[in-house]
């Protein structure tokens, strides 16, 4: 059974107003126990009207919002203009994804698929996996079958494994599948199935999983340079990578009197710290470093510009260029490459949510925060709270 993770958990009652502009991004806004909609600046566009909004998503090409509402055990989906996209259904939960027309629906530990707000695959399977050719491998009771892009059961749920044919496809208008089972002697029996080819639209290049790291091949020149730096300044403990050339452009050096950052381009130590230095990431084209001074943490870029003053107990680098700030057991955050100022530590917890696509060149960071009083709400990367307790 696939797990579903909702941004937040609530309940619902009536309808939306008509204040929203045609393509305006609206976010769920909570006032006490009621939910409405607001823009990214926190301006309420739909007054709080319900107690049950459980998820939302913006999807291309128009990036309009879709809002999941739950009432009396039934789930429906509406847009910001109160139009019903999916009528009430007896479901436990749903999950939407960017750049997908599919909505995965769950009931009694079973899963199904709705496409274009119509039921494509009934909610009766243990697992469903989207494959090439816009088909779905479905699993029930340890056996697999296949449902094609039109919702037709092409392969019955009676096989151990299902995969594309390894053979060359001589007919460009046909798509070939192979279903396998083992007989009593442990030998595999294969059965072939044929379906029409479905052309799949490519996902835009800008959208994809975050870049977690970069593997590079350390050259002999870089090894010799590291040795030379170590002999002149001290032990090389880490380095930063130029993402354009995938080469080392800076080295972190442990010296007799602290730590330093050696720049390959400038051929010298450009930053020093008495306590520690750690590469953080890129910010507007410059490498940044987490540095400690008098037991307090700050964030400095390679030019010496102070992005965060030395005032935090800890600064932890998270995924997607997000720095979590902690001071006096309270949390804040700073987003690299963002136009917005740091969010000062005042929350008990901050949870990173999936960024919201706004256009083909911009995603807006969204977070779930827990206040000191234990109340949860949404927070934008701009520091605006989308809730009022």
């Amino acid at each position: 059974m696939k797990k579903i993770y909702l941004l937040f958990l609530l309940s619902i009652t009536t309808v939306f107003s008509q204040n929203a502009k045609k393509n305006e991004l609206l976010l769920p806004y909570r006032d006490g126990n009621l939910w409405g909609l607001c823009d990214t600046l926190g301006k309420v566009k739909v007054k709080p009207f319900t107690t049950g909004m459980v998820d939302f998503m913006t999807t291309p090409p128009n990036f309009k919002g879709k809002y999941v509402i739950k009432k009396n055990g039934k789930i429906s989906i509406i847009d910001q203009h109160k139009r019903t996209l999916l009528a009430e259904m007896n479901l436990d939960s749903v999950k939407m994804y960017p750049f997908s027309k599919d909505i995965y629906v769950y009931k009694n530990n079973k899963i199904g698929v709705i496409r274009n707000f119509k039921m494509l695959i009934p909610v009766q399977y243990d697992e469903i996996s989207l494959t090439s050719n816009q088909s779905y491998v479905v699993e029930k009771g340890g056996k697999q079958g296949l449902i094609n892009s039109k919702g037709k059961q092409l392969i019955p749920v009676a096989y151990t494994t299902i995969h594309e044919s390894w053979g060359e496809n001589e007919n460009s208008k046909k798509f070939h599948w192979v279903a396998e089972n083992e007989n009593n002697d442990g030998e595999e029996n294969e059965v072939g199935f044929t379906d029409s080819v479905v052309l799949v639209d490519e996902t835009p290049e800008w959208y994809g999983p975050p870049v977690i790291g970069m593997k590079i091949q350390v050259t002999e020149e870089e090894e010799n340079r590291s040795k030379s730096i170590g002999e002149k300044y001290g032990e090389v403990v880490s380095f930063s990578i130029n993402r354009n050339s995938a080469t080392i452009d800076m080295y972190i050096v442990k010296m007799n009197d602290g730590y330093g950052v050696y720049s390959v381009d400038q051929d010298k130590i450009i930053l020093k710290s008495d306590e520690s230095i750690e590469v953080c990431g890129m910010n507007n084209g410059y490498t940044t470093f987490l540095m400690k001074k008098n037991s307090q943490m700050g964030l400095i870029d390679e030019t010496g510009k102070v992005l965060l003053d030395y005032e935090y107990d800890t600064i932890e680098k998270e995924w997607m260029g997000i720095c979590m700030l902690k001071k006096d057991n309270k949390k804040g955050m700073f987003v690299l490459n963002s136009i917005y100022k740091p969010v000062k530590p005042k929350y008990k917890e901050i949870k990173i949510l999936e960024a919201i696509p706004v256009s083909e060149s911009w995603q807006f960071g969204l977070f779930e925060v827990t206040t000191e009083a234990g109340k949860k709400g949404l927070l934008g990367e701009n520091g605006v709270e989308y809730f009022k307790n």
Side-chain angles (χ1 to χ4, degrees), residues 99-355:
F99 296 97
S100 176
K101 298 177 182 178
D102 294 345
I103 300 173
Y104 287 79
V105 294
Y106 301 82
K107 179 68 178 180
N108 296 330
N109 292 324
K110 298 296 182 180
I111 181 174
V113 173
I114 288 175
R115 174 175 286 184
N116 293 324
F117 301 105
K118 294 181 180 179
M119 185 65 73
L120 181 73
I121 301 176
V123 189
Q124 63 183 41
Y125 297 99
D126 300 326
E127 292 282 352
I128 297 178
S129 302
L130 180 64
T131 71
S132 59
N133 203 42
Q134 291 294 291
S135 297
Y136 305 81
V137 172
V138 296
E139 183 174 325
K140 184 191 294 185
K143 293 292 185 178
Q144 293 186 347
L146 188 130
I147 296 176
N148 70 8
S149 61
K150 296 180 181 180
K152 177 184 176 182
Q153 184 89 50
L154 183 67
I155 304 177
V157 183
Y159 297 90
T160 304
T161 59
I162 294 172
H163 59 80
E164 299 176 30
S165 172
W166 306 121
E168 184 176 352
N169 189 2
E170 297 179 356
N171 188 341
S172 61
K173 295 184 179 180
K174 295 295 181 180
F175 197 92
H176 299 285
W177 297 96
V178 174
E180 298 180 353
N181 255 336
E182 289 187 359
N183 59 26
N184 295 331
D185 297 327
E187 297 178 352
E188 291 184 349
N189 293 325
E190 295 185 352
V191 182
F193 295 86
T194 303
D195 196 14
S196 299
V197 169
V198 176
L199 299 178
V200 181
D201 294 333
E202 293 185 0
T203 300
E205 292 183 0
W206 69 271
Y207 182 82
V211 177
I212 302 300
M214 179 180 292
K215 294 183 178 180
I216 66 166
Q217 182 68 40
V218 178
T219 65
E220 182 178 352
E221 178 184 1
E222 288 169 333
E223 288 182 347
N224 291 334
R225 182 191 298 128
S226 178
K227 182 178 179 180
S228 176
I229 293 171
E231 292 173 348
K232 185 174 182 179
Y233 297 103
E235 179 187 1
V236 173
V237 294
S238 65
F239 50 79
S240 71
I241 301 168
N242 185 312
R243 288 186 174 267
N244 294 324
S245 61
T247 59
I248 300 173
D249 59 357
M250 296 184 195
Y251 295 81
I252 308 299
V253 183
K254 183 178 180 181
M255 305 182 295
N256 293 330
D257 56 349
Y259 291 81
V261 177
Y262 173 87
S263 167
V264 174
D265 290 341
Q266 300 183 48
D267 190 26
K268 65 178 183 180
I269 298 292
I270 58 172
L271 295 173
K272 287 185 177 182
S273 173
D274 293 338
E275 298 183 52
S276 67
I277 299 178
E278 179 185 348
V279 178
C280 185
M282 298 295 294
N283 183 68
N284 297 322
Y286 297 105
T287 304
T288 64
F289 301 91
L290 296 174
M291 300 175 65
K292 184 176 285 189
K293 183 178 181 181
N294 297 324
S295 298
Q296 296 293 102
M297 297 290 295
L299 182 66
I300 318 295
D301 73 16
E302 63 184 271
T303 70
K305 180 180 179 180
V306 177
L307 304 177
L308 296 172
D309 287 325
Y310 293 96
E311 59 177 287
Y312 302 99
D313 299 332
T314 61
I315 300 177
E316 297 180 357
K317 180 180 64 175
E318 304 284 351
W319 62 289
M320 294 296 287
I322 297 166
C323 298
M324 288 296 178
L325 317 176
K326 188 173 182 179
K327 183 177 182 179
D328 299 329
N329 291 320
K330 298 178 182 179
K331 294 182 178 181
M333 67 178 186
F334 176 68
V335 182
L336 296 175
N337 300 301
S338 175
I339 62 174
Y340 303 113
K341 296 180 180 179
V343 176
K344 294 295 183 181
K346 66 174 183 176
Y347 299 105
K348 188 175 181 179
E349 291 292 341
I350 298 179
K351 178 183 177 182
I352 303 173
L353 302 178
E354 188 172 350

Side-chain angles (χ1 to χ4, degrees), residues 98-99 206-208 320 354-359 361-365 381:
F99 296 97
W206 69 271
Y207 182 82
M320 294 296 287
E354 188 172 350
I356 303 301
V358 180
S359 70
S361 59
W362 179 39
Q363 296 185 71
F364 185 73
E381 68 172 280

